Amino acid sequence: QVQLVQSGAEVKKPGASVKVSCKASGDTFSTYGLSWVRQAPGQGLEWMGWISAYSGHTTYAQNLQGRVTMTSDTSTSTAYMELRSLRSDDTAVYYCAKGTYYGYFYWGQGTLVTVSS
Amino acid sequence: EIVLTQSPGTLSLSPGERATLVCRASQSISSSYLAWYQQKPGQAPRLLIYSASSRATGIPDRFSGSGSGTDFTLTISRLESEDFAMYYCQQYGSSPETFTFGPGTKVDIK
């Protein structure tokens, strides 16, 4: 059974950066793509981008271009999402999700990132 | 870029009733790339349906998906207490490459 375990909650000041990790187990890491999805308090789901763990190819949501970087380390089966120049509206729960074009079959438990001065 | 809308915003039903949730795309999409998720408070989303009509592993058969083109439906044949939750549809588009979520439908107890 595939498991995705994310790093713990973070509190950051506006303008800072945050890096969230997502460690996969139970399957070949390179199987499927790894996406990041966030959810602001009381809001819906927002796709942020995805990375092919096999090739390292990335695609980012247009509204986050230039502020987000997704990477993966196949030796540790871990994916990372770094978001820079944080603003208060980046406060959200950040999820990693593993899947294909057909859907995300596996999800991490979520990481709360709070941006506050 | 394709936009997904979901209706109704909230569906108030009683256990045992049938729920019909609709997801509409701003332009025709491949049914292969339409998925439905369930999310309960404080939990990560869970995949229910992929490729418009295929149930994910472990999903009860009271959940079914259908549709094509721009109109897709998630049906819960007989609501059970654990089914009261938020439901999101999602589509993959290749140009530009993006995974878009709908705004969600909340199914709550009447």
Side-chain angles (χ1 to χ4, degrees):
Chain A
Q1 177 71 345
V2 174
Q3 269 202 310
L4 301 177
V5 178
Q6 299 182 222
S7 49
E10 304 261 14
V11 179
K12 296 292 183 180
K13 293 194 183 302
S17 299
V18 68
K19 193 169 187 177
V20 180
S21 68
C22 171
K23 184 172 176 61
S25 62
D27 192 7
T28 305
F29 182 63
S30 299
T31 304
Y32 303 142
L34 198 295
S35 293
W36 291 89
V37 175
R38 69 179 179 178
Q39 186 170 39
Q43 302 301 309
L45 302 171
E46 179 189 8
W47 178 76
M48 299 179 67
W50 79 286
I51 181 168
S52 165
Y54 176 75
S55 67
H57 170 76
T58 54
T59 302
Y60 302 132
Q62 271 198 317
N63 65 321
L64 294 173
Q65 289 270 5
R67 286 208 300 140
V68 68
T69 301
M70 296 174 188
T71 56
S72 66
D73 183 343
T74 54
S75 68
T76 60
S77 299
T78 304
Y80 301 90
M81 185 284 299
E82 181 180 33
L83 188 61
R84 299 176 292 278
S85 301
L86 288 167
R87 311 185 291 242
S88 58
D89 62 357
D90 292 318
T91 294
V93 175
Y94 288 74
Y95 295 101
C96 60
K98 213 164 185 284
T100 70
Y101 306 132
Y102 309 116
Y104 298 149
F105 298 96
Y106 309 105
W107 291 73
Q109 83 277 17
T111 296
L112 174 62
V113 175
T114 303
V115 182
S116 174
S117 55
Chain B
E1 187 170 318
I2 294 174
V3 175
L4 298 178
T5 57
Q6 292 187 242
S7 60
T10 301
L11 195 52
S12 296
L13 295 168
S14 301
E17 289 194 294
R18 181 184 187 90
T20 301
L21 290 66
V22 174
C23 176
R24 287 203 168 90
S26 56
Q27 56 188 276
S28 183
I29 63 174
S30 169
S31 58
S32 295
Y33 301 148
L34 192 287
W36 289 93
Y37 300 85
Q38 177 194 69
Q39 187 181 32
K40 298 179 181 178
Q43 295 184 17
R46 176 174 72 145
L47 179 67
L48 298 175
I49 301 288
Y50 64 95
S51 298
S53 60
S54 297
R55 270 188 301 277
T57 302
I59 302 303
D61 59 8
R62 64 180 182 273
F63 290 92
S64 63
S66 63
S68 64
T70 59
D71 295 336
F72 298 87
T73 300
L74 174 69
T75 302
I76 310 170
S77 58
R78 287 178 58 85
L79 281 164
E80 298 198 3
S81 56
E82 62 263 32
D83 300 336
F84 292 95
M86 282 292 293
Y87 292 84
Y88 296 95
C89 58
Q90 179 206 39
Q91 72 92 29
Y92 166 78
S94 60
S95 186
E97 185 172 53
T98 183
F99 291 82
T100 307
F101 287 95
T105 290
K106 183 177 183 180
V107 178
D108 66 13
I109 299 177
K110 189 172 181 181

